Amino acid sequence: MEILAPCVILDKPQMAENIGAVARAMANFGLSDLRLVNPRDGWPQERAWASASGAEWPLNAARIYDSVEAAVADLHLVYATTARPRELQLPVLTPRVAMAAMLSEVQSGHRAGLLFGGERAGLETADIALSQAVVTLPIDPRFRSLNLAQAVIILAYEWRMTMETGAPAIFRDAPPPADGAAMLGLYEHFERELETAGFFHPPEKKPSMVQNLRSALGRARMSDQEVRTFRGVVTALSRGRGRVLEKLARAKADKPTDR
Amino acid sequence: MEILAPCVILDKPQMAENIGAVARAMANFGLSDLRLVNPRDGWPQERAWASASGAEWPLNAARIYDSVEAAVADLHLVYATTARPRELQLPVLTPRVAMAAMLSEVQSGHRAGLLFGGERAGLETADIALSQAVVTLPIDPRFRSLNLAQAVIILAYEWRMTMETGAPAIFRDAPPPADGAAMLGLYEHFERELETAGFFHPPEKKPSMVQNLRSALGRARMSDQEVRTFRGVVTALSRGRGRVLEKLARAKADKPTDR
């Protein structure tokens, strides 16, 4: 089976020079699928090509998305490179372990992506919540300001080291995981019903409640069948709640009040 | 024992921005000793500080040298990051193995350095010959143009990974190796005597003969005692040759020629 190297997803990259440097870093270690989510200054930008030192093919083929959700829709596995997120319960992997795990998945025919945040703001928790794990670099706590292309090249280097040394085959017997679009369909279905049920209370807590739910479900690495089952569960529960509410309403209507 | 992280030696760096980016990469993974050999545009240069994103301490403390030989004079172990050199017989290590080996040395109290060439020209073979091994990145042969700071950060990252995971203790029982100055003294002594002896023939081959001799001796990782012994050997051999020549000359003078 042909091995499909992971794609690199840059969320809201700011500087075209950095996008070019990322393309160069990818090319150094054999990655080529570049995805850009809302690049600040639009796309294409000449300065990206100027700073790629000839690594033009990832730029020429780059795809543009208007959300991380859209950029990961066809992926079965996404790892977000970021500092350990306090708000989410996600596995935190070193680049080495992450790439070994990712190679095993890719060897099973799954499509994988590496998600990076923009230069200043980094990744939003809601987007990290779309990942199955977080990759954290062993960076010196005294100086954490890591250049975007530098973060990319370390992952790309570990990818290639893993390819060359051979990854331990893990996850091999697991069923194929559902892709990002299927998971997003489940999330949105789930959240719609929870909204109707008044679950998101107080309303200002909804975003963090949503991302905690998403990261918990995402970690489960559900198969397509499991996603369908789970959507059936949500439907059943919400219809059931509907029936309960209906019954309560009927009971209330049938029974005269005290006054 | 306190562990002294390896220094980073940049030979003839061209762009001040790249020197700044190297400082930043070093700081990300806890390296701080930066050495510059003949920076093209002189030193200090404001643009280095501007591109370091606050990682100023390696720049502030950077030392300037007029040769690689001078820059490695106090080091016991130097690894050159470069493509595999065809002309030299040196071990070629991956970054991971190199940093594991280097940590073991540093844990024994030896001082170590990582040598990088300038942006365009890379390292000269004569300078690689001053190293005990070559570190080669597993770069894609289809795109070898690697940014200087990118090469540095991969080594720095592997250094830190090795520090955090613990290196296998190798070389522990070997005697402490002589430093670069001691080895250079031996090389020059040796070459001086070989020059006198007419060894470097034809003269245009001298540079490659010198670097082959140096890399062979350097690989031996001699102790100070062994360097002294070896210098004694050179002296004995050359004086011996002198005595032989003297004796021959005397014999010639004593004995009348045929005509």
Side-chain angles (χ1 to χ4, degrees):
Chain A
M1 182 185 299
E2 200 204 349
I3 285 183
L4 212 62
C7 66
V8 169
I9 306 150
L10 305 183
D11 181 37
K12 302 188 202 74
Q14 301 190 300
M15 308 274 288
E17 290 82 355
N18 285 337
I19 300 173
V22 164
R24 183 179 180 181
M26 290 170 65
N28 283 145
F29 294 112
L31 304 183
S32 60
D33 182 353
L34 175 61
R35 302 175 178 203
L36 306 175
V37 179
N38 295 326
R40 184 189 63 185
D41 301 331
W43 192 258
Q45 300 173 62
E46 262 182 44
R47 285 168 302 140
W49 274 259
S51 65
S53 294
E56 298 193 346
W57 56 98
L59 299 174
N60 295 341
R63 278 173 282 182
I64 309 301
Y65 298 87
D66 62 4
S67 68
V68 172
E69 290 168 354
V72 305
D74 65 323
L75 304 179
H76 303 93
L77 182 74
V78 179
Y79 288 168
T81 299
T82 179
R84 185 190 294 264
R86 291 206 196 111
E87 306 89 337
L88 299 174
Q89 295 293 325
L90 281 176
V92 177
L93 309 177
T94 64
R96 189 165 305 164
V97 169
M99 291 305 92
M102 193 166 265
L103 178 57
S104 294
E105 299 269 1
V106 164
Q107 283 172 335
S108 304
H110 309 154
R111 279 188 296 272
L114 299 166
L115 175 63
F116 297 85
E119 291 92 331
R120 294 247 173 269
L123 287 170
E124 290 171 39
T125 308
D127 292 322
I128 302 173
L130 297 169
S131 309
Q132 280 70 54
V134 160
V135 183
T136 296
L137 301 171
I139 209 157
D140 191 327
R142 290 166 298 180
F143 188 72
R144 296 193 160 279
S145 164
L146 185 70
N147 172 272
L148 177 57
Q150 301 277 55
V152 170
I153 207 166
I154 289 171
L155 274 285
Y157 158 77
E158 284 285 9
W159 168 256
R160 195 163 178 90
M161 282 293 284
T162 305
M163 288 282 286
E164 293 201 347
T165 57
I170 46 182
F171 300 141
R172 268 298 177 81
D173 293 321
D179 66 16
M183 291 307 294
L184 190 64
L186 169 61
Y187 298 155
E188 289 178 345
H189 182 182
F190 196 41
E191 291 151 16
R192 207 158 48 232
E193 294 297 342
L194 289 171
E195 178 79 72
T196 307
F199 175 82
F200 295 118
H201 184 80
E204 64 269 23
K205 286 218 171 154
K206 181 177 172 186
S208 68
M209 295 168 90
V210 161
Q211 65 207 14
N212 287 339
L213 291 168
R214 288 184 175 197
S215 73
L217 289 171
R219 280 203 316 275
R221 300 181 48 66
M222 294 183 191
S223 65
D224 279 320
Q225 179 55 50
E226 289 170 327
V227 168
R228 280 192 296 274
T229 302
F230 213 79
R231 291 191 67 155
V233 165
V234 173
T235 301
L237 289 177
S238 39
R239 281 195 193 146
R241 188 191 67 238
R243 278 204 294 274
V244 169
L245 288 175
E246 213 176 293
K247 204 180 278 182
L248 280 175
R250 219 166 26 226
K252 213 170 179 181
D254 289 349
K255 191 181 165 188
T257 54
D258 285 347
R259 47 178 171 163
Chain B
M1 181 185 299
E2 199 202 351
I3 286 184
L4 212 60
C7 67
V8 169
I9 307 150
L10 305 184
D11 181 36
K12 304 190 202 68
Q14 301 189 300
M15 308 275 288
E17 289 82 356
N18 285 337
I19 302 174
V22 165
R24 183 180 180 182
M26 292 171 64
N28 283 146
F29 294 111
L31 305 183
S32 59
D33 183 352
L34 175 62
R35 301 173 178 204
L36 306 175
V37 179
N38 294 327
R40 185 188 64 185
D41 300 331
W43 192 259
Q45 298 173 64
E46 261 182 44
R47 284 168 305 141
W49 274 258
S51 65
S53 293
E56 299 192 345
W57 57 100
L59 298 174
N60 294 340
R63 278 173 283 181
I64 310 300
Y65 299 87
D66 62 5
S67 68
V68 172
E69 290 169 354
V72 305
D74 64 324
L75 304 179
H76 303 93
L77 183 72
V78 178
Y79 289 168
T81 300
T82 180
R84 183 191 296 264
R86 290 203 197 113
E87 305 89 340
L88 298 174
Q89 295 294 327
L90 281 175
V92 177
L93 310 177
T94 65
R96 189 166 303 164
V97 169
M99 292 304 93
M102 193 166 265
L103 178 57
S104 295
E105 299 271 359
V106 164
Q107 283 172 335
S108 305
H110 309 154
R111 278 188 297 273
L114 300 167
L115 175 61
F116 298 84
E119 291 91 331
R120 294 246 174 271
L123 287 169
E124 289 170 38
T125 309
D127 293 322
I128 302 173
L130 298 168
S131 308
Q132 280 68 55
V134 159
V135 183
T136 295
L137 301 172
I139 208 157
D140 191 328
R142 291 166 297 181
F143 189 73
R144 294 192 160 282
S145 162
L146 185 71
N147 171 273
L148 177 56
Q150 301 278 53
V152 170
I153 206 167
I154 289 171
L155 274 285
Y157 158 76
E158 284 286 7
W159 168 256
R160 195 161 179 92
M161 281 295 282
T162 304
M163 289 283 285
E164 293 201 347
T165 57
I170 47 183
F171 299 141
R172 268 299 176 79
D173 292 322
D179 65 19
M183 290 309 293
L184 189 64
L186 169 62
Y187 297 156
E188 289 178 345
H189 182 181
F190 195 41
E191 291 150 16
R192 208 159 46 233
E193 294 298 342
L194 288 171
E195 179 78 72
T196 308
F199 175 83
F200 295 119
H201 185 80
E204 64 271 23
K205 285 217 174 155
K206 180 177 173 187
S208 69
M209 295 169 89
V210 161
Q211 66 207 14
N212 288 338
L213 291 167
R214 288 184 175 197
S215 73
L217 289 171
R219 281 203 315 276
R221 299 183 46 70
M222 295 184 188
S223 66
D224 279 321
Q225 179 54 51
E226 289 169 328
V227 168
R228 280 192 297 273
T229 303
F230 212 81
R231 291 191 68 154
V233 165
V234 173
T235 301
L237 290 176
S238 41
R239 278 194 197 147
R241 186 190 69 237
R243 276 204 297 272
V244 169
L245 288 176
E246 215 174 292
K247 205 180 280 182
L248 281 175
R250 220 169 22 231
K252 212 169 180 178
D254 287 352
K255 191 181 165 188
T257 53
D258 287 345
R259 48 175 171 170

